[in-house]
């Protein structure tokens, strides 16, 4: 049984309890992060903790800990749970208070961290690619905040699964924003396109790594959203996230993407990403 961290203590996962009056439970009033751990070391921890602060600021919630306190808690939990490859999930909610839409005063935030084994991405996702479908982006106007209120994302992802696909690519006002649980990329004539950082997408930490690697290796990349039509005709499509890394989409809405196999630009990026991971990021 893994241990978790809750409000100042490490305890067995089945002993951790939160009040039913927690605003996370009643109102979805909280933010979160997911951090991959390789060989016992957190990958891009600084980026995740910086984004946590941005999310907290975005919902006007105080950060219960400093960056170094978070680091200490996370590293301790990873060690207590045996090191190796893990996926750390942390969540901060506005805390326990009588139910009211208006923020409570003087409430202590609830801070929760868990970690689980990080399973490698299935090999066939890399050799054959994954399938995706396009769906309308039904989410709110602050997708840059990593909020725990994931009902739209969950509905979209379930729709993708019901259609035999692994991800939903989301369309807002005729443009590709991102995936239901990932950032998205289109490769057109050798240039990588990904939506710019604004309130329509989550500023993915993996996306930052992809941009950095493209820049360092002279692979053309522009932070520009593609239209739904460009998406249908792209040579390659990819998605990225902390736990799934960078994956090629080879089937979109039942049709082949490019030649229907993982593309050459993706292969180059995946090699760069794996090397970057091994170097400790
Ligand atoms: C909606 C959405 N966009 C993008 C991402 C990718 O972000 P990151 O690379 O930081 O995991 C995620 C991750 O879960 C996500 O849920």
């Amino acid at each position: 049984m893994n241990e978790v961290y809750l409000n100042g203590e490490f305890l067995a996962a089945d002993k951790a309890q939160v009040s039913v009056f927690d605003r996370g439970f009643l109102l979805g009033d909280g933010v979160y992060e997911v951090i991959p751990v390789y060989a016992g070391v957190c990958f891009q921890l600084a980026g995740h903790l910086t984004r946590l602060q941005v999310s907290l600021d975005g919902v006007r919630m105080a950060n219960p800990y400093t960056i170094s306190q978070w680091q200490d808690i996370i590293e301790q939990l990873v060690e207590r749970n045996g090191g190796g490859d893990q996926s750390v999930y942390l969540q901060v909610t506005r805390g326990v208070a009588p139910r009211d839409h208006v923020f409570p005063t003087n409430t202590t935030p609830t801070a929760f961290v868990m970690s689980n084994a990080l399973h490698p991405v299935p090999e066939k996702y890399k050799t054959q690619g994954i399938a995706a479908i396009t769906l309308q982006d039904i989410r709110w106007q602050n997708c840059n905040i990593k909020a725990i209120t994931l009902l739209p994302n969950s509905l979209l992802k379930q729709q993708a699964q019901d259609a035999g696909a692994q991800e939903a690519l989301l369309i807002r006002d005729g443009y590709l924003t991102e995936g239901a649980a990932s950032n998205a990329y289109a490769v057109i004539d050798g240039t990588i396109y990904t939506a710019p950082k604004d309130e329509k997408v989550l500023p993915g930490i993996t996306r930052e790594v992809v941009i950095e690697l493209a820049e360092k290796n002279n692979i053309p990349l522009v932070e520009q959203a593609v239209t739904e039509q460009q998406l249908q005709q792209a040579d390659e499509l990819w998605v990225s996230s902390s736990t799934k890394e960078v994956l090629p989409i080879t089937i979109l809405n039942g049709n082949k993407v490019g030649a229907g196999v993982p593309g050459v630009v993706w292969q180059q990026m995946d090699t760069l990403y794996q090397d970057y991971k091994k170097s400790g990021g």
Side-chain angles (χ1 to χ4, degrees), residues 42-56:
C42 293
F43 184 67
Q44 302 288 308
L45 183 58
H48 283 280
L49 292 177
T50 303
R51 184 173 65 186
L52 173 67
Q53 186 63 58
V54 173
S55 294
L56 288 165

Side-chain angles (χ1 to χ4, degrees), residues 33-90:
E33 276 298 324
V34 177
I35 306 156
V37 175
Y38 302 113
V41 180
C42 293
F43 184 67
Q44 302 288 308
L45 183 58
H48 283 280
L49 292 177
T50 303
R51 184 173 65 186
L52 173 67
Q53 186 63 58
V54 173
S55 294
L56 288 165
D57 291 344
V59 299
R60 298 164 59 186
M61 214 183 275
N63 196 334
Y65 305 124
T66 62
I67 298 263
S68 67
Q69 284 172 324
W70 273 119
Q71 192 170 338
D72 194 44
I73 293 163
I74 293 166
E75 286 173 358
Q76 272 198 63
L77 186 68
V78 167
E79 207 179 306
R80 281 166 176 266
N81 287 335
D85 291 357
Q86 297 182 26
S87 167
V88 170
Y89 174 95
L90 74 85

